[in-house]
Amino acid sequence: MNKEDKNIERCSWVNLKNEIYIYYHDNEWGVEKHDDNELFEMLILEGAQAGLAWETVLNKRYNYRIAFDNFDPKIVSNYDEQKYEELLQNKGIIRNRLKIRSAIRNAKVFIEIQKEFASFDSYIWAFVNGKPIVNSFTKENAPAKTELSDIISKDLKKRGMNFVGSTIIYAYMQSIGMVNDHEINCFKHKR
Ligand SMILES: [Zn+2]
């Protein structure tokens, strides 16, 4: 199937005018991620999204990669005040004080979780026993959060993270493939 084909059916939220968005939907969203740096990347991007359109963040993703040292949590966790100020001046990313602070703070917690569970991957995937949840929603009945995202959100908050509310975490679970929520009409929906 031609990935650039705009006539095939996709989830209703995809902006078909944006190649970046189409690519993300077709190749990443709902696909299992197990690499810790990638898991960290999505956590930061989903947190940065809060209150904004996902497309806004997605369009800035490359800038984020440059600004945040390829989302290496070890490096990000060691950012000092000077680096924080630098990020605040970076027009390529979302310049929100709380979001930038939380990215650094969450990196520290991320490292703690890696220490405790050997990897963030083993920590986060244990919530679904390593197996993705495959749903069959339409755009009308897709949930914004679930009981499980509540539980994960609560645990991450307890560990000291912020910008990890249940809605952010549910979007995170979708983005790393813990849940597969491609709408039933979408060509990516698992039948
Ligand atoms: Zn889809």
Side-chain angles (χ1 to χ4, degrees):
M1 188 174 299
N2 181 1
K3 284 174 184 129
E4 306 307 320
D5 186 351
K6 289 180 180 172
N7 298 318
I8 56 175
E9 276 211 69
R10 292 181 169 87
C11 289
S12 56
W13 45 264
V14 181
N15 176 4
L16 297 174
K17 291 188 185 116
N18 187 340
E19 295 292 338
I20 295 173
Y21 212 169
I22 297 174
Y23 184 88
Y24 175 74
H25 167 272
D26 291 3
N27 299 285
E28 281 199 67
W29 195 72
V31 177
E32 289 181 50
K33 282 193 199 299
H34 291 285
D35 175 89
D36 267 22
N37 285 20
E38 287 181 28
L39 293 172
F40 180 65
E41 171 180 22
M42 296 319 295
L43 193 66
I44 297 309
L45 294 179
E46 292 292 351
Q49 191 239 327
L52 303 167
W54 173 240
E55 196 175 355
T56 307
V57 176
L58 203 57
N59 289 339
K60 295 177 189 292
R61 187 180 192 177
Y62 182 73
N63 301 335
Y64 265 89
R65 277 199 185 141
I66 307 280
F68 282 90
D69 292 283
N70 276 317
F71 294 104
D72 183 328
K74 213 169 257 168
I75 299 175
V76 177
S77 69
N78 285 313
Y79 282 176
D80 56 13
E81 280 305 301
Q82 195 192 328
K83 176 70 186 185
Y84 165 74
E85 291 297 333
E86 231 177 84
L87 288 169
L88 265 185
Q89 302 305 320
N90 187 334
K91 292 192 175 90
I93 63 168
I94 290 149
R95 301 185 318 170
N96 173 300
R97 290 182 176 276
L98 294 175
K99 285 177 181 174
I100 293 171
R101 277 267 182 242
S102 97
I104 301 168
R105 184 186 168 92
N106 289 357
K108 294 184 205 293
V109 178
F110 195 94
I111 298 289
E112 288 306 311
I113 292 173
Q114 284 179 322
K115 280 182 192 156
E116 191 179 332
F117 294 86
S119 66
F120 188 83
D121 176 52
S122 49
Y123 161 78
I124 198 76
W125 278 89
F127 286 101
V128 289
N129 295 318
K131 258 195 88 179
I133 300 163
V134 181
N135 293 318
S136 292
F137 294 126
T138 61
K139 66 176 174 182
E140 282 81 23
N141 65 5
K145 57 182 183 158
T146 60
E147 261 173 54
L148 184 56
S149 66
D150 288 351
I151 291 168
I152 298 173
S153 165
K154 217 171 147 188
D155 193 65
L156 290 172
K157 281 180 187 166
K158 199 179 74 190
R159 291 171 183 276
M161 284 198 187
N162 41 37
F163 282 96
V164 289
S166 191
T167 306
I168 290 175
I169 290 305
Y170 193 66
Y172 180 63
M173 291 164 69
Q174 293 173 320
S175 74
I176 65 168
M178 279 173 80
V179 281
N180 187 321
D181 276 354
H182 283 285
E183 293 166 8
I184 50 171
N185 294 328
C186 175
F187 83 101
K188 293 288 285 183
H189 179 67
K190 285 189 181 156
R191 289 172 180 93

Short mmCIF file of all heavy atoms in Angstrom, two decimals, residues 18-74:
data_model
loop_
_atom_site.label_atom_id
_atom_site.label_comp_id
_atom_site.label_asym_id
_atom_site.label_seq_id
_atom_site.Cartn_x
_atom_site.Cartn_y
_atom_site.Cartn_z
N ASN A 18 -1.06 17.46 6.03
CA ASN A 18 0.25 17.50 6.69
C ASN A 18 0.95 16.15 6.56
O ASN A 18 0.60 15.18 7.21
CB ASN A 18 0.03 17.87 8.18
CG ASN A 18 1.35 18.09 8.90
OD1 ASN A 18 2.41 17.63 8.46
ND2 ASN A 18 1.28 18.78 10.03
N GLU A 19 1.99 16.12 5.71
CA GLU A 19 2.73 14.87 5.46
C GLU A 19 3.34 14.30 6.75
O GLU A 19 3.41 13.09 6.92
CB GLU A 19 3.86 15.11 4.44
CG GLU A 19 3.39 15.49 3.05
CD GLU A 19 2.68 14.34 2.31
OE1 GLU A 19 2.90 13.18 2.67
OE2 GLU A 19 1.88 14.65 1.39
N ILE A 20 3.77 15.20 7.63
CA ILE A 20 4.38 14.75 8.89
C ILE A 20 3.35 13.99 9.72
O ILE A 20 3.63 12.95 10.31
CB ILE A 20 4.92 15.96 9.71
CG1 ILE A 20 6.06 16.65 8.95
CG2 ILE A 20 5.40 15.53 11.09
CD1 ILE A 20 6.53 17.95 9.60
N TYR A 21 2.15 14.53 9.72
CA TYR A 21 1.06 13.92 10.49
C TYR A 21 0.66 12.57 9.89
O TYR A 21 0.47 11.58 10.60
CB TYR A 21 -0.14 14.88 10.51
CG TYR A 21 -0.98 14.83 11.76
CD1 TYR A 21 -1.94 15.79 12.00
CD2 TYR A 21 -0.79 13.84 12.71
CE1 TYR A 21 -2.71 15.77 13.15
CE2 TYR A 21 -1.57 13.81 13.86
CZ TYR A 21 -2.52 14.77 14.07
OH TYR A 21 -3.29 14.75 15.20
N ILE A 22 0.55 12.53 8.57
CA ILE A 22 0.20 11.27 7.89
C ILE A 22 1.26 10.21 8.18
O ILE A 22 0.94 9.08 8.53
CB ILE A 22 0.06 11.48 6.36
CG1 ILE A 22 -1.09 12.45 6.05
CG2 ILE A 22 -0.15 10.15 5.63
CD1 ILE A 22 -1.20 12.83 4.59
N TYR A 23 2.51 10.61 8.06
CA TYR A 23 3.60 9.67 8.31
C TYR A 23 3.54 9.14 9.75
O TYR A 23 3.67 7.94 10.00
CB TYR A 23 4.97 10.32 8.06
CG TYR A 23 6.09 9.33 8.22
CD1 TYR A 23 6.52 8.55 7.15
CD2 TYR A 23 6.70 9.13 9.47
CE1 TYR A 23 7.52 7.60 7.31
CE2 TYR A 23 7.70 8.18 9.64
CZ TYR A 23 8.11 7.42 8.55
OH TYR A 23 9.08 6.47 8.72
N TYR A 24 3.31 10.06 10.67
CA TYR A 24 3.24 9.67 12.09
C TYR A 24 2.10 8.67 12.30
O TYR A 24 2.27 7.63 12.94
CB TYR A 24 3.05 10.91 12.96
CG TYR A 24 2.84 10.58 14.42
CD1 TYR A 24 3.92 10.18 15.20
CD2 TYR A 24 1.58 10.65 15.00
CE1 TYR A 24 3.74 9.84 16.53
CE2 TYR A 24 1.40 10.32 16.34
CZ TYR A 24 2.48 9.92 17.09
OH TYR A 24 2.30 9.58 18.41
N HIS A 25 0.94 9.00 11.77
CA HIS A 25 -0.21 8.10 11.92
C HIS A 25 0.06 6.72 11.30
O HIS A 25 -0.22 5.69 11.90
CB HIS A 25 -1.46 8.71 11.28
CG HIS A 25 -2.57 7.71 11.14
ND1 HIS A 25 -2.69 6.91 10.02
CD2 HIS A 25 -3.55 7.32 11.99
CE1 HIS A 25 -3.71 6.08 10.20
NE2 HIS A 25 -4.26 6.32 11.38
N ASP A 26 0.62 6.69 10.10
CA ASP A 26 0.79 5.44 9.37
C ASP A 26 1.91 4.57 9.92
O ASP A 26 1.87 3.35 9.80
CB ASP A 26 1.07 5.72 7.89
CG ASP A 26 -0.14 6.29 7.16
OD1 ASP A 26 -1.17 6.52 7.81
OD2 ASP A 26 -0.02 6.51 5.94
N ASN A 27 2.93 5.21 10.49
CA ASN A 27 4.13 4.44 10.84
C ASN A 27 4.46 4.38 12.32
O ASN A 27 5.26 3.55 12.74
CB ASN A 27 5.34 5.02 10.10
CG ASN A 27 5.17 4.91 8.61
OD1 ASN A 27 5.31 3.84 8.04
ND2 ASN A 27 4.84 6.02 7.99
N GLU A 28 3.89 5.28 13.11
CA GLU A 28 4.29 5.30 14.52
C GLU A 28 3.16 5.09 15.52
O GLU A 28 3.30 4.33 16.47
CB GLU A 28 4.97 6.63 14.85
CG GLU A 28 6.42 6.71 14.39
CD GLU A 28 7.14 7.81 15.15
OE1 GLU A 28 7.32 7.68 16.37
OE2 GLU A 28 7.49 8.82 14.51
N TRP A 29 2.08 5.82 15.31
CA TRP A 29 1.01 5.82 16.30
C TRP A 29 0.44 4.41 16.47
O TRP A 29 0.03 3.77 15.50
CB TRP A 29 -0.09 6.79 15.87
CG TRP A 29 -1.06 7.15 16.96
CD1 TRP A 29 -0.82 7.95 18.03
CD2 TRP A 29 -2.43 6.74 17.06
NE1 TRP A 29 -1.95 8.06 18.80
CE2 TRP A 29 -2.96 7.33 18.24
CE3 TRP A 29 -3.26 5.92 16.30
CZ2 TRP A 29 -4.27 7.14 18.66
CZ3 TRP A 29 -4.57 5.73 16.71
CH2 TRP A 29 -5.07 6.34 17.88
N GLY A 30 0.45 3.92 17.69
CA GLY A 30 -0.09 2.58 17.94
C GLY A 30 0.91 1.46 17.69
O GLY A 30 0.60 0.30 17.89
N VAL A 31 2.12 1.82 17.23
CA VAL A 31 3.15 0.80 17.03
C VAL A 31 3.97 0.69 18.32
O VAL A 31 4.35 1.70 18.91
CB VAL A 31 4.08 1.18 15.84
CG1 VAL A 31 5.20 0.15 15.68
CG2 VAL A 31 3.26 1.30 14.56
N GLU A 32 4.22 -0.53 18.76
CA GLU A 32 4.93 -0.74 20.03
C GLU A 32 6.32 -0.12 20.02
O GLU A 32 7.11 -0.37 19.13
CB GLU A 32 5.08 -2.25 20.28
CG GLU A 32 3.80 -2.93 20.62
CD GLU A 32 4.03 -4.42 20.89
OE1 GLU A 32 4.93 -4.75 21.68
OE2 GLU A 32 3.32 -5.23 20.29
N LYS A 33 6.60 0.65 21.07
CA LYS A 33 7.94 1.18 21.28
C LYS A 33 8.53 0.55 22.54
O LYS A 33 7.84 0.44 23.55
CB LYS A 33 7.88 2.71 21.47
CG LYS A 33 7.71 3.51 20.19
CD LYS A 33 8.00 4.98 20.48
CE LYS A 33 7.43 5.91 19.42
NZ LYS A 33 7.93 5.71 18.07
N HIS A 34 9.80 0.16 22.44
CA HIS A 34 10.45 -0.45 23.60
C HIS A 34 11.81 0.16 23.92
O HIS A 34 12.48 -0.25 24.86
CB HIS A 34 10.59 -1.96 23.39
CG HIS A 34 9.26 -2.67 23.42
ND1 HIS A 34 8.57 -2.91 24.59
CD2 HIS A 34 8.48 -3.15 22.42
CE1 HIS A 34 7.43 -3.54 24.32
NE2 HIS A 34 7.34 -3.69 23.01
N ASP A 35 12.22 1.11 23.09
CA ASP A 35 13.52 1.75 23.34
C ASP A 35 13.33 2.87 24.35
O ASP A 35 12.47 3.73 24.19
CB ASP A 35 14.05 2.31 22.01
CG ASP A 35 15.33 3.09 22.19
OD1 ASP A 35 16.41 2.46 22.12
OD2 ASP A 35 15.26 4.32 22.43
N ASP A 36 14.12 2.84 25.43
CA ASP A 36 13.92 3.81 26.52
C ASP A 36 14.02 5.27 26.06
O ASP A 36 13.25 6.11 26.53
CB ASP A 36 14.90 3.55 27.66
CG ASP A 36 14.27 2.63 28.72
OD1 ASP A 36 13.32 1.90 28.38
OD2 ASP A 36 14.73 2.66 29.88
N ASN A 37 14.95 5.57 25.16
CA ASN A 37 15.06 6.96 24.71
C ASN A 37 13.83 7.38 23.92
O ASN A 37 13.35 8.51 24.03
CB ASN A 37 16.33 7.17 23.87
CG ASN A 37 17.58 7.20 24.73
OD1 ASN A 37 17.58 6.72 25.87
ND2 ASN A 37 18.66 7.74 24.21
N GLU A 38 13.29 6.46 23.15
CA GLU A 38 12.05 6.75 22.40
C GLU A 38 10.86 6.89 23.36
O GLU A 38 9.98 7.73 23.16
CB GLU A 38 11.76 5.66 21.36
CG GLU A 38 12.70 5.71 20.18
CD GLU A 38 12.38 4.64 19.14
OE1 GLU A 38 11.22 4.22 19.04
OE2 GLU A 38 13.32 4.21 18.45
N LEU A 39 10.85 6.07 24.39
CA LEU A 39 9.78 6.16 25.39
C LEU A 39 9.86 7.49 26.13
O LEU A 39 8.84 8.10 26.45
CB LEU A 39 9.86 4.99 26.37
CG LEU A 39 9.57 3.60 25.78
CD1 LEU A 39 9.88 2.50 26.79
CD2 LEU A 39 8.11 3.51 25.32
N PHE A 40 11.09 7.95 26.34
CA PHE A 40 11.28 9.24 26.99
C PHE A 40 10.85 10.37 26.05
O PHE A 40 10.17 11.32 26.47
CB PHE A 40 12.75 9.42 27.42
CG PHE A 40 13.03 10.73 28.09
CD1 PHE A 40 12.45 11.04 29.31
CD2 PHE A 40 13.86 11.67 27.49
CE1 PHE A 40 12.69 12.26 29.93
CE2 PHE A 40 14.11 12.89 28.11
CZ PHE A 40 13.53 13.18 29.32
N GLU A 41 11.21 10.25 24.79
CA GLU A 41 10.83 11.26 23.80
C GLU A 41 9.31 11.46 23.79
O GLU A 41 8.83 12.60 23.89
CB GLU A 41 11.28 10.84 22.40
CG GLU A 41 10.72 11.75 21.30
CD GLU A 41 11.15 11.38 19.89
OE1 GLU A 41 11.52 10.21 19.66
OE2 GLU A 41 11.10 12.27 19.02
N MET A 42 8.57 10.37 23.71
CA MET A 42 7.12 10.51 23.62
C MET A 42 6.53 11.09 24.90
O MET A 42 5.57 11.84 24.87
CB MET A 42 6.47 9.16 23.29
CG MET A 42 6.82 8.58 21.93
SD MET A 42 6.89 9.76 20.54
CE MET A 42 5.19 10.29 20.46
N LEU A 43 7.14 10.75 26.04
CA LEU A 43 6.65 11.28 27.31
C LEU A 43 6.82 12.81 27.35
O LEU A 43 5.91 13.54 27.78
CB LEU A 43 7.42 10.63 28.48
CG LEU A 43 6.85 10.84 29.87
CD1 LEU A 43 5.50 10.16 30.02
CD2 LEU A 43 7.82 10.30 30.92
N ILE A 44 7.95 13.28 26.87
CA ILE A 44 8.21 14.72 26.85
C ILE A 44 7.28 15.42 25.84
O ILE A 44 6.70 16.47 26.13
CB ILE A 44 9.69 15.02 26.50
CG1 ILE A 44 10.61 14.44 27.58
CG2 ILE A 44 9.94 16.52 26.33
CD1 ILE A 44 10.27 14.83 28.99
N LEU A 45 7.13 14.81 24.68
CA LEU A 45 6.30 15.43 23.65
C LEU A 45 4.82 15.46 24.06
O LEU A 45 4.13 16.45 23.85
CB LEU A 45 6.47 14.71 22.30
CG LEU A 45 7.86 14.81 21.65
CD1 LEU A 45 7.88 14.03 20.33
CD2 LEU A 45 8.27 16.26 21.41
N GLU A 46 4.35 14.38 24.66
CA GLU A 46 2.95 14.36 25.10
C GLU A 46 2.72 15.39 26.21
O GLU A 46 1.67 16.02 26.27
CB GLU A 46 2.53 12.97 25.58
CG GLU A 46 2.46 11.90 24.48
CD GLU A 46 1.33 12.12 23.48
OE1 GLU A 46 0.47 12.99 23.70
OE2 GLU A 46 1.33 11.41 22.46
N GLY A 47 3.70 15.56 27.08
CA GLY A 47 3.60 16.56 28.14
C GLY A 47 3.60 17.97 27.56
O GLY A 47 2.86 18.85 28.00
N ALA A 48 4.44 18.17 26.54
CA ALA A 48 4.53 19.48 25.89
C ALA A 48 3.22 19.81 25.17
O ALA A 48 2.87 20.97 24.98
CB ALA A 48 5.69 19.50 24.90
N GLN A 49 2.50 18.78 24.80
CA GLN A 49 1.26 18.96 24.05
C GLN A 49 0.13 19.54 24.89
O GLN A 49 -0.74 20.22 24.36
CB GLN A 49 0.82 17.62 23.46
CG GLN A 49 -0.31 17.73 22.45
CD GLN A 49 -1.52 16.94 22.86
OE1 GLN A 49 -1.40 15.90 23.49
NE2 GLN A 49 -2.69 17.44 22.53
N ALA A 50 0.16 19.26 26.19
CA ALA A 50 -0.95 19.66 27.07
C ALA A 50 -1.55 21.01 26.70
O ALA A 50 -0.87 22.03 26.68
CB ALA A 50 -0.47 19.69 28.52
N GLY A 51 -2.84 21.03 26.38
CA GLY A 51 -3.54 22.26 26.05
C GLY A 51 -3.37 22.71 24.60
O GLY A 51 -3.95 23.70 24.18
N LEU A 52 -2.56 22.00 23.84
CA LEU A 52 -2.31 22.38 22.44
C LEU A 52 -2.70 21.22 21.53
O LEU A 52 -3.03 20.13 21.99
CB LEU A 52 -0.82 22.67 22.23
CG LEU A 52 -0.20 23.76 23.11
CD1 LEU A 52 1.32 23.70 22.99
CD2 LEU A 52 -0.71 25.13 22.69
N ALA A 53 -2.65 21.45 20.23
CA ALA A 53 -2.93 20.39 19.28
C ALA A 53 -1.68 19.52 19.13
O ALA A 53 -0.55 20.04 19.12
CB ALA A 53 -3.30 20.97 17.93
N TRP A 54 -1.89 18.21 19.02
CA TRP A 54 -0.75 17.30 18.86
C TRP A 54 0.06 17.67 17.63
O TRP A 54 1.28 17.58 17.61
CB TRP A 54 -1.26 15.85 18.77
CG TRP A 54 -0.20 14.87 18.45
CD1 TRP A 54 -0.14 14.04 17.37
CD2 TRP A 54 0.98 14.59 19.22
NE1 TRP A 54 1.01 13.29 17.41
CE2 TRP A 54 1.71 13.60 18.53
CE3 TRP A 54 1.51 15.10 20.42
CZ2 TRP A 54 2.94 13.10 19.00
CZ3 TRP A 54 2.73 14.60 20.89
CH2 TRP A 54 3.42 13.61 20.18
N GLU A 55 -0.64 18.15 16.61
CA GLU A 55 0.03 18.52 15.37
C GLU A 55 1.08 19.62 15.61
O GLU A 55 2.14 19.62 14.98
CB GLU A 55 -1.03 19.01 14.38
CG GLU A 55 -0.52 19.07 12.96
CD GLU A 55 -1.63 19.44 11.97
OE1 GLU A 55 -2.81 19.55 12.38
OE2 GLU A 55 -1.30 19.61 10.80
N THR A 56 0.76 20.54 16.51
CA THR A 56 1.69 21.63 16.82
C THR A 56 3.01 21.08 17.34
O THR A 56 4.09 21.53 16.95
CB THR A 56 1.07 22.55 17.91
OG1 THR A 56 -0.22 22.95 17.47
CG2 THR A 56 1.92 23.76 18.19
N VAL A 57 2.91 20.08 18.22
CA VAL A 57 4.11 19.49 18.80
C VAL A 57 4.84 18.65 17.76
O VAL A 57 6.06 18.71 17.63
CB VAL A 57 3.74 18.63 20.03
CG1 VAL A 57 4.96 17.93 20.59
CG2 VAL A 57 3.08 19.49 21.09
N LEU A 58 4.07 17.89 17.01
CA LEU A 58 4.64 17.01 15.99
C LEU A 58 5.47 17.81 14.98
O LEU A 58 6.56 17.39 14.58
CB LEU A 58 3.51 16.26 15.29
CG LEU A 58 3.86 14.95 14.60
CD1 LEU A 58 4.49 13.96 15.57
CD2 LEU A 58 2.60 14.36 13.98
N ASN A 59 4.96 18.97 14.61
CA ASN A 59 5.67 19.82 13.65
C ASN A 59 7.00 20.33 14.21
O ASN A 59 7.88 20.71 13.46
CB ASN A 59 4.80 21.01 13.24
CG ASN A 59 3.64 20.59 12.36
OD1 ASN A 59 3.66 19.53 11.75
ND2 ASN A 59 2.62 21.43 12.31
N LYS A 60 7.11 20.36 15.55
CA LYS A 60 8.32 20.87 16.19
C LYS A 60 9.24 19.74 16.67
O LYS A 60 10.25 19.98 17.31
CB LYS A 60 7.94 21.73 17.41
CG LYS A 60 7.19 23.00 17.07
CD LYS A 60 6.81 23.73 18.36
CE LYS A 60 5.88 24.90 18.11
NZ LYS A 60 6.50 26.01 17.38
N ARG A 61 8.86 18.53 16.36
CA ARG A 61 9.58 17.37 16.90
C ARG A 61 11.07 17.40 16.61
O ARG A 61 11.88 17.10 17.48
CB ARG A 61 8.97 16.10 16.33
CG ARG A 61 9.52 14.84 16.93
CD ARG A 61 8.85 13.67 16.28
NE ARG A 61 9.07 12.42 16.95
CZ ARG A 61 8.50 11.29 16.54
NH1 ARG A 61 7.68 11.31 15.50
NH2 ARG A 61 8.74 10.17 17.17
N TYR A 62 11.43 17.75 15.38
CA TYR A 62 12.85 17.80 15.02
C TYR A 62 13.59 18.83 15.86
O TYR A 62 14.69 18.57 16.37
CB TYR A 62 13.00 18.09 13.52
CG TYR A 62 14.43 18.11 13.06
CD1 TYR A 62 15.15 16.92 12.95
CD2 TYR A 62 15.07 19.31 12.77
CE1 TYR A 62 16.48 16.94 12.55
CE2 TYR A 62 16.39 19.34 12.36
CZ TYR A 62 17.09 18.15 12.26
OH TYR A 62 18.41 18.17 11.86
N ASN A 63 12.96 19.99 16.07
CA ASN A 63 13.57 21.02 16.91
C ASN A 63 13.76 20.52 18.34
O ASN A 63 14.75 20.83 18.99
CB ASN A 63 12.69 22.27 16.95
CG ASN A 63 12.46 22.86 15.58
OD1 ASN A 63 13.26 22.66 14.67
ND2 ASN A 63 11.36 23.58 15.42
N TYR A 64 12.77 19.76 18.81
CA TYR A 64 12.86 19.18 20.15
C TYR A 64 14.05 18.23 20.27
O TYR A 64 14.77 18.24 21.25
CB TYR A 64 11.57 18.43 20.50
CG TYR A 64 10.58 19.28 21.28
CD1 TYR A 64 9.64 20.05 20.61
CD2 TYR A 64 10.61 19.31 22.67
CE1 TYR A 64 8.74 20.84 21.31
CE2 TYR A 64 9.71 20.09 23.38
CZ TYR A 64 8.78 20.86 22.69
OH TYR A 64 7.90 21.65 23.38
N ARG A 65 14.23 17.43 19.22
CA ARG A 65 15.35 16.46 19.24
C ARG A 65 16.68 17.17 19.39
O ARG A 65 17.55 16.75 20.15
CB ARG A 65 15.36 15.64 17.95
CG ARG A 65 14.40 14.51 18.01
CD ARG A 65 14.73 13.46 16.97
NE ARG A 65 13.67 12.46 17.03
CZ ARG A 65 13.15 11.86 15.98
NH1 ARG A 65 13.61 12.11 14.78
NH2 ARG A 65 12.20 10.97 16.14
N ILE A 66 16.83 18.26 18.64
CA ILE A 66 18.08 19.03 18.71
C ILE A 66 18.19 19.68 20.09
O ILE A 66 19.21 19.59 20.75
CB ILE A 66 18.10 20.15 17.62
CG1 ILE A 66 17.82 19.57 16.24
CG2 ILE A 66 19.39 20.95 17.68
CD1 ILE A 66 18.96 18.90 15.55
N ALA A 67 17.12 20.33 20.53
CA ALA A 67 17.14 21.08 21.79
C ALA A 67 17.37 20.16 22.99
O ALA A 67 18.05 20.53 23.94
CB ALA A 67 15.83 21.84 21.96
N PHE A 68 16.81 18.96 22.95
CA PHE A 68 16.87 18.04 24.10
C PHE A 68 17.83 16.87 23.88
O PHE A 68 17.58 15.76 24.36
CB PHE A 68 15.46 17.52 24.43
CG PHE A 68 14.60 18.50 25.19
CD1 PHE A 68 13.79 19.41 24.52
CD2 PHE A 68 14.60 18.53 26.58
CE1 PHE A 68 13.00 20.32 25.21
CE2 PHE A 68 13.81 19.43 27.28
CZ PHE A 68 13.01 20.34 26.60
N ASP A 69 18.96 17.13 23.22
CA ASP A 69 20.02 16.12 23.09
C ASP A 69 19.49 14.74 22.69
O ASP A 69 19.78 13.73 23.35
CB ASP A 69 20.82 16.01 24.40
CG ASP A 69 21.63 17.25 24.65
OD1 ASP A 69 22.68 17.43 24.01
OD2 ASP A 69 21.20 18.09 25.48
N ASN A 70 18.70 14.71 21.63
CA ASN A 70 18.14 13.45 21.14
C ASN A 70 17.37 12.68 22.20
O ASN A 70 17.30 11.45 22.17
CB ASN A 70 19.23 12.55 20.55
CG ASN A 70 19.52 12.91 19.12
OD1 ASN A 70 18.59 13.14 18.34
ND2 ASN A 70 20.80 13.00 18.79
N PHE A 71 16.81 13.41 23.14
CA PHE A 71 15.99 12.80 24.20
C PHE A 71 16.74 11.73 24.98
O PHE A 71 16.19 10.68 25.28
CB PHE A 71 14.68 12.25 23.64
CG PHE A 71 13.76 13.30 23.11
CD1 PHE A 71 13.62 13.50 21.75
CD2 PHE A 71 13.06 14.11 23.98
CE1 PHE A 71 12.77 14.51 21.27
CE2 PHE A 71 12.21 15.10 23.50
CZ PHE A 71 12.07 15.29 22.15
N ASP A 72 17.99 12.04 25.28
CA ASP A 72 18.75 11.15 26.16
C ASP A 72 18.40 11.56 27.60
O ASP A 72 18.80 12.63 28.06
CB ASP A 72 20.25 11.32 25.90
CG ASP A 72 21.09 10.38 26.74
OD1 ASP A 72 20.67 10.06 27.88
OD2 ASP A 72 22.16 9.96 26.27
N PRO A 73 17.66 10.72 28.33
CA PRO A 73 17.18 11.15 29.66
C PRO A 73 18.33 11.44 30.63
O PRO A 73 18.18 12.29 31.52
CB PRO A 73 16.33 9.96 30.15
CG PRO A 73 16.73 8.81 29.29
CD PRO A 73 17.20 9.37 27.99
N LYS A 74 19.45 10.75 30.44
CA LYS A 74 20.59 10.98 31.34
C LYS A 74 21.09 12.41 31.18
O LYS A 74 21.35 13.10 32.15
CB LYS A 74 21.70 9.96 31.01
CG LYS A 74 22.49 9.54 32.25
CD LYS A 74 23.38 8.35 31.95
CE LYS A 74 22.79 7.07 32.51
NZ LYS A 74 23.46 5.87 32.01
#
